[in-house]
Amino acid sequence: MPILQVNQFKVPCRGVLFDKDGTLLHFMSLWGGFSDYVLRFFGRTA
């Protein structure tokens, strides 16, 4: 079984979910705040 590893954290991976059209995962609720932060950060440094 493949292992996903981030830094020292390891988790066995049984599958990967691709949600191409956004019907399972809502993009803005998952990534909206992070995207806003990144855009504001790069807007200040430009």
Side-chain angles (χ1 to χ4, degrees), residues 1-31:
M1 176 179 304
I3 302 292
L4 294 177
Q5 181 176 346
V6 176
N7 296 328
Q8 300 302 318
F9 188 69
K10 297 179 183 179
V11 179
C13 177
R14 298 174 73 192
V16 176
L17 173 67
F18 291 97
D19 183 22
K20 182 179 175 184
D21 61 358
T23 55
L24 298 174
L25 305 171
H26 188 260
F27 179 83
M28 288 306 292
S29 66
L30 293 172
W31 295 103

